[in-house]
Amino acid sequence: MRFFYTVLLAVLLLSCSTGKHSVKTNENISPKREFRGAWIQAVNGQFLGMGEEEMKTYLLTMLDNLQKVNVNAIIFQVRVEGDALYPSPYEPWSRYLTGTQGKDPGWDPLAFMVEQAHKRNMELHAWINPYRARTKGTLKLARNHASVQNPGNFIEYEGQLYFNPSLKSNRDHICKIVTDIITRYDVDGLHIDDYFYPYPSNGKPFKDDKWFAGSGYANKGEWRRNNVNLLIERLHKTVRGAKPWLKFGVSPFGIYRNERSWEWGSATNGLQSYDDLNADVLHWINSGWVDYCIPQIYWEIGHKAADYETLVGWWAKYAANRPLYIGQDVNRTVKAADTKNSARHQLVQKMTMQRARPAIQGSCLWDAASAANNVGGYRDILAANYHSYPALMPAAPFIDGKAPKKVKGVELLSTENGENVLVWLTEECDDVMDKPAKYIVYRFARGEKVNLNSMKNVVEMTTNTYYRIPTEQKGKATYVVTVLDRLQNESKGVKCKVKL
């Protein structure tokens, strides 16, 4: 992939389209490391009615458009309601592919997305919903659905069905699903969303009294939170035990607790992850059970109950023991006017607030299709101001912070057909955590200072041990090659000066 030229072309095109939103400053220059994710969901039915080729084309177009703004992680929903968007030996095919649960679509969307994301230097995180077993629109379940085989393990609530979070057998099942996904597919992470205990509806109770009665707990909230804690801790151990480089992330509801419920809570007044969904996110972070957190802060700046600025500040203060990214709602952002400049929407303002807080190391776009389709010029603004260059993933030293060995040497070779090719060799390595995963090639023109602290000089990120120099890269230059491992720890660079 030639990021340098993709970015140059994007910037040229954007010079005519970003207008009042283009406010490039030194503060907005792309950092070298930043999570830039996008959620691709199935639960909204966007794939229904599509055959294999149509869906592949749809997904490829989306990935190509996200690549133009250097998105580096795709969070792809593969389990919506105890089903699968891949051939699972344990759960039925999702109705969100064909309209009928259990019907084989004839291809493997997860395998396709892993391959295509990696081709674009994007990570692919498999996104599952652990507890939801049936949505309101699902009228018929397949015979091999878990709730058909073991109906006593489920609780119905407001037209939906849930795996009972208090049962060890359900935790066993969920972890079996996860183990299958992460061992059969070359995914880079496992991701779960904000659905734990159900979102409360009209004050109606979730009927788990008979399990609570024998729990030994006096407080039902504490019991429920412990049930979820048991799953989160076990999921983390499952992921780390299967592949030590894999990341386990969560995207909780954007309010942890309001200050009226807890003295350290946020100055907000909305539904609470801790109290209403029984998700003790701070406990997971501080216990080291999650490898990144993406709170869904979908509200606008100035929202009366859940102000964006208040919430990003709160999460930056209290949730920085693991990499913290912000879940951004594309459509809500472009519908809300900047509070200081009504002629534009809030993307610039939100990104300025986010980048001003070092504890926040990136963001994730809800939803990917809206960003890819450039709703409200969202993609244009990212390209011109914030995602001008590619970015590596934030460091994860709590998993592995050791840099791989540098390449043995970089040489320029000329082929028989007149091509100029940089080639290099790698050190042999037995430790899977230190093995080369890909290489970065930087180019610095004559007189330009070699600086590897920025990605603006990157001309290639590749799994190959060579780089074909385009004919337009003429003159004297210094090329530098570095090695990345699976967690994108970067080696020292090796230089090669050329004159073409």
Side-chain angles (χ1 to χ4, degrees):
M1 180 187 303
R2 295 174 181 175
F3 281 101
F4 186 75
Y5 296 106
T6 302
V7 172
L8 279 181
L9 177 60
V11 171
L12 287 173
L13 293 172
L14 292 170
S15 63
C16 298
S17 63
T18 56
K20 60 194 177 187
H21 287 92
S22 185
V23 290
K24 185 179 269 303
T25 67
N26 289 335
E27 289 75 20
N28 293 339
I29 292 174
S30 300
K32 180 164 184 175
R33 292 186 179 272
E34 186 173 58
F35 186 90
R36 299 170 183 169
W39 282 290
I40 298 181
Q41 78 278 29
V43 70
N44 69 332
Q46 65 177 323
F47 305 137
L48 284 173
M50 294 184 182
E52 177 181 350
E53 294 308 314
E54 184 181 0
M55 184 171 164
K56 284 181 175 179
T57 299
Y58 178 79
L59 289 168
L60 289 176
T61 300
M62 194 183 305
L63 290 177
D64 287 343
N65 284 333
L66 294 171
Q67 181 187 2
K68 291 174 184 177
V69 287
N70 294 306
V71 164
N72 58 16
I74 298 298
I75 300 178
F76 182 58
Q77 190 171 31
V78 300
R79 184 179 189 260
V80 182
E81 50 178 1
D83 56 5
L85 273 79
Y86 60 94
S88 170
Y90 307 114
E91 296 188 314
W93 281 102
S94 176
R95 78 169 178 89
Y96 289 96
L97 286 172
T98 64
T100 301
Q101 190 177 93
K103 184 177 179 181
D104 188 343
W107 65 293
D108 187 340
L110 176 54
F112 175 77
M113 287 296 288
V114 169
E115 177 188 17
Q116 294 302 323
H118 288 174
K119 280 184 178 180
R120 292 162 176 78
N121 285 310
M122 299 171 173
E123 290 192 350
L124 194 288
H125 294 217
W127 163 20
I128 70 166
N129 185 286
Y131 293 125
R132 188 170 56 207
R134 189 190 69 229
T135 57
K136 291 182 179 180
T138 301
L139 303 179
K140 186 177 181 181
L141 296 170
R143 286 181 296 177
N144 63 329
H145 191 274
S147 69
V148 175
Q149 296 180 336
N150 296 291
N153 286 1
F154 297 81
I155 299 175
E156 188 163 1
Y157 183 75
E158 290 298 275
Q160 298 196 80
L161 196 66
Y162 294 85
F163 285 84
N164 184 342
S166 68
L167 299 181
K168 180 181 180 297
S169 59
N170 282 341
R171 293 192 289 273
D172 292 343
H173 179 80
I174 294 164
C175 289
K176 180 174 67 174
I177 298 304
V178 168
T179 299
D180 178 54
I181 292 171
I182 64 180
T183 54
R184 287 202 292 130
Y185 293 91
D186 188 24
V187 296
D188 302 283
L190 177 81
H191 184 85
I192 62 173
D193 52 26
D194 56 315
Y195 290 92
F196 299 101
Y197 276 82
Y199 276 75
S201 177
N202 300 318
K204 294 184 179 179
F206 185 68
K207 297 180 179 179
D208 56 357
D209 286 347
K210 70 177 182 178
W211 292 277
F212 170 60
S215 68
Y217 278 79
N219 181 283
K220 182 179 281 190
E222 290 181 4
W223 171 69
R224 286 177 173 176
R225 282 186 289 276
N226 182 65
N227 292 334
V228 179
N229 289 346
L230 290 171
L231 177 66
I232 299 299
E233 182 181 18
R234 187 165 167 191
L235 281 174
H236 187 258
K237 289 179 178 178
T238 298
V239 169
R240 191 69 79 248
K243 291 180 178 177
W245 63 86
L246 225 62
K247 288 170 279 193
F248 172 44
V250 60
S251 53
F253 184 73
I255 299 174
Y256 176 70
R257 299 192 81 182
N258 300 308
E259 61 182 359
R260 61 180 170 81
S261 301
W262 186 47
E263 61 181 310
W264 296 286
S266 54
T268 51
N269 186 26
L271 183 137
Q272 303 167 101
S273 182
Y274 179 95
D275 301 84
D276 300 308
L277 305 180
N278 299 288
D280 191 354
V281 185
L282 291 191
H283 181 61
W284 310 339
I285 291 170
N286 294 328
S287 299
W289 295 343
V290 296
D291 301 315
Y292 66 84
C293 178
I294 316 178
Q296 298 175 23
I297 307 180
Y298 290 166
W299 303 277
E300 66 271 19
I301 300 164
H303 190 283
K304 291 182 179 180
D307 171 56
Y308 176 90
E309 184 174 12
T310 297
L311 284 166
V312 295
W314 187 92
W315 285 96
K317 181 177 181 180
Y318 289 101
N321 281 343
R322 283 293 183 263
L324 172 66
Y325 320 132
I326 301 302
Q328 307 279 1
D329 188 305
V330 173
N331 286 286
R332 291 191 194 183
T333 297
V334 301
K335 289 177 181 177
D338 187 306
T339 61
K340 297 179 180 179
N341 181 356
S342 61
R344 67 186 187 191
H345 56 65
Q346 289 190 353
L347 174 55
V348 169
Q349 205 174 13
K350 283 186 173 183
M351 286 298 293
T352 300
M353 291 176 181
Q354 176 179 312
R355 286 268 178 91
R357 293 169 169 83
I360 299 173
Q361 301 180 59
S363 58
C364 195
L365 306 176
W366 175 264
D367 63 321
S370 296
N373 293 336
N374 201 27
V375 171
Y378 200 101
R379 183 161 53 85
D380 288 349
I381 300 163
L382 288 182
N385 296 283
Y386 303 103
H387 292 186
S388 302
Y389 307 113
L392 299 182
M393 284 291 164
F398 49 89
I399 301 177
D400 175 39
K402 181 183 175 183
K405 293 181 179 179
K406 64 184 180 181
V407 297
K408 288 184 178 180
V410 185
E411 295 184 16
L412 178 67
L413 300 179
S414 296
T415 65
E416 292 181 357
N417 61 5
E419 281 189 309
N420 294 301
V421 184
L422 286 178
V423 297
W424 54 88
L425 298 173
T426 59
E427 294 276 1
E428 292 186 6
C429 179
D430 294 328
D431 187 343
V432 66
M433 298 300 286
D434 296 328
K435 284 186 176 182
K438 63 181 66 174
Y439 307 90
I440 303 181
V441 181
Y442 301 82
R443 181 183 185 274
F444 300 90
R446 181 181 181 182
E448 188 176 6
K449 183 179 179 180
V450 173
N451 176 16
L452 303 188
N453 293 321
S454 168
M455 297 290 280
K456 71 176 184 178
N457 289 88
V458 171
V459 291
E460 185 80 304
M461 292 177 69
T462 179
T463 56
N464 298 320
T465 55
Y466 61 85
Y467 169 61
R468 300 182 188 276
I469 300 178
T471 56
E472 58 266 32
Q473 289 183 16
K474 296 179 179 180
K476 292 183 178 181
T478 298
Y479 289 87
V480 181
V481 179
T482 64
V483 183
L484 298 177
D485 62 20
R486 286 295 300 247
L487 284 169
Q488 297 198 352
N489 294 306
E490 187 177 19
S491 74
K492 293 180 179 179
V494 176
K495 298 179 183 178
C496 180
K497 294 184 177 181
V498 303
K499 181 180 179 181
L500 302 175

